[in-house]
């Protein structure tokens, strides 16, 4: 039973990569850079985007694809900033999946204003496991990790931390009130993804978010 | 493609329920009560168990089944308390799954000292989506939700909040430093699971954990 399951999973991942490449080609055709933004539930992806998108990004036109199991709470928040937001729910239609995959993103392409944006931020479903397994056609992957989650997370969810080229450490305004050991966290991070880019931010106070804004601008400039 | 996928998922869930019933029968045969404990990554399941298991639970003999994708960090922490802990990793062997299912728990049964415990706490993989979909043979489900995760989580992950008979709200020591609106959170909770049992705790300070200890004792007494 397990061997069958592993084979089915491998086939599914191969199929996913094929569709991810088709997405990539469509993004390239529209000259759109794409960031896949991931985190655990409540780590602050949306709050970070609210901070970053409230100001002009060097004239960059940004759109957001908002991935959730249900509802449109985050999309509603971001829409207030007059950013074009497309909602993509995994339930109904995709079995309530705990992640976005290339096919789901492909299904949302016709609804996205690709010709009117330069950068697409895909806010994935809050989950540290499966989102890391599915390429969706992105140029870069970033994750948000909150200091309230504990120092051990890179070791417990290594694929997620390994697959990202940027780790945004959020909620640093809470550090004085926590037992969180930042050095220990970075040791664990380097154990699974040595030297990966990292930045300390507080989406709540705005501290450090300029660095994430600059990173987005830099990703968009790569194309 | 989607219809096929939904059918495969439904078949898998039916098969899971059959195995969950077999687990249930084995737990009953050994007179062991079982709690399935779930949360997002870093919400504090292990810290809560550390607090609760550091003291005697009315003579109750407690064992823990520790579910993780990789590693044994939480099991190592709990072992220090001289609690019998069994590690169950979803990688390797179960494709790195983001949740425990009945078959995985079944595979771990021979390693668990069922004849020497009265209560088994299954600490599920940190994830607010898929763990809620898979019964493993438990008597009761509880979840830990941290106040740092935001008020919207019941609305964004309704199945998880709906499927539990207890919601433990953790990290309340941080409330003075957050914008978290507890009343708003409870409104959202009641919107998906009206009147569900809830308790406020801080695994860090010990505040309120006696209520969770009492709840575990009460679940064990039901058998």
């Amino acid at each position: 039973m397990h061997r069958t399951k592993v084979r089915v999973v491998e086939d599914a991942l191969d199929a996913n990569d094929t569709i991810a490449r088709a997405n990539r080609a469509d993004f390239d055709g529209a000259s759109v850079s794409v960031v896949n933004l991931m985190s655990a539930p409540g780590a602050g992806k949306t709050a970070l985007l609210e901070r970053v998108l409230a100001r002009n990004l060097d004239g960059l036109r940004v759109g957001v694809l908002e991935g959730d199991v249900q509802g449109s709470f985050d999309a509603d928040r971001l829409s207030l900033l007059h950013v074009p937001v497309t909602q993509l729910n995994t339930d109904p239609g995709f079995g309530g999946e705990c992640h976005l995959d290339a096919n789901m993103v492909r299904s949302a392409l016709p609804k996205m204003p690709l010709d009117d944006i330069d950068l697409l931020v895909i806010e994935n479903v809050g989950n540290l496991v499966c989102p890391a397994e599915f390429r969706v056609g992105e140029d870069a992957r970033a994750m948000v990790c909150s200091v309230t989650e504990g120092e051990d997370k890179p070791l417990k969810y290594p694929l997620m931390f390994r697959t990202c080229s940027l780790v945004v450490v959020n909620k640093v305004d809470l550090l004085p009130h926590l037992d969180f050991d930042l050095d220990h966290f970075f040791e664990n991070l380097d154990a699974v993804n040595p030297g990966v880019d990292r930045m300390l931010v507080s989406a709540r106070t705005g501290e450090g978010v300029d660095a994430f804004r600059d990173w987005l601008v830099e990703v968009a400039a790569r194309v």
Side-chain angles (χ1 to χ4, degrees), chain A residues 24-189:
Chain A
R24 181 69 264 154
D26 286 352
F27 293 137
D28 282 342
S31 299
V32 173
S33 302
V34 180
V35 169
N36 187 355
L37 186 62
M38 301 179 280
S39 81
K45 294 185 297 301
T46 311
L48 182 65
L49 289 177
E50 281 179 322
R51 274 280 174 188
V52 166
L53 299 178
R55 272 182 40 206
N56 191 291
L57 267 82
D58 290 0
L60 210 64
R61 298 168 304 166
V62 183
V64 176
L65 178 64
E66 191 58 58
D68 289 294
V69 178
Q70 291 187 8
S72 63
F73 305 99
D74 296 342
D76 296 344
R77 285 166 63 182
L78 293 173
S79 292
L80 296 176
L81 300 170
H82 306 292
V83 172
V85 182
T86 306
Q87 180 68 51
L88 174 52
N89 286 339
T90 69
D91 186 24
F94 297 104
E97 288 279 18
C98 61
H99 58 272
L100 299 183
D101 66 22
N103 183 53
M104 296 179 207
V105 169
R106 188 142 198 86
S107 76
L109 284 187
K111 287 182 274 182
M112 285 189 264
L114 293 185
D115 292 337
D116 302 322
I117 61 175
D118 308 302
L119 174 68
L120 175 69
V121 178
I122 300 178
E123 189 178 339
N124 217 309
V125 179
N127 180 351
L128 288 185
V129 186
C130 300
E133 296 176 10
F134 293 86
R135 296 254 152 215
V136 294
E138 66 270 48
D139 293 281
R141 293 177 154 199
M143 68 168 294
V144 180
C145 183
S146 152
V147 293
T148 59
E149 295 166 25
E151 301 94 344
D152 57 348
K153 293 302 160 295
L155 302 180
K156 293 185 71 176
Y157 304 91
L159 181 63
M160 174 60 75
F161 285 84
R162 194 173 287 139
T163 195
C164 287
S165 56
L166 172 69
V167 175
V168 181
V169 182
N170 190 23
K171 307 192 189 180
V172 294
D173 57 298
L174 294 176
L175 280 174
H177 313 295
L178 303 173
D179 304 317
F180 188 83
D181 182 335
L182 201 55
D183 289 337
H184 187 198
F185 172 78
F186 285 143
E187 281 170 24
N188 290 341
L189 178 58

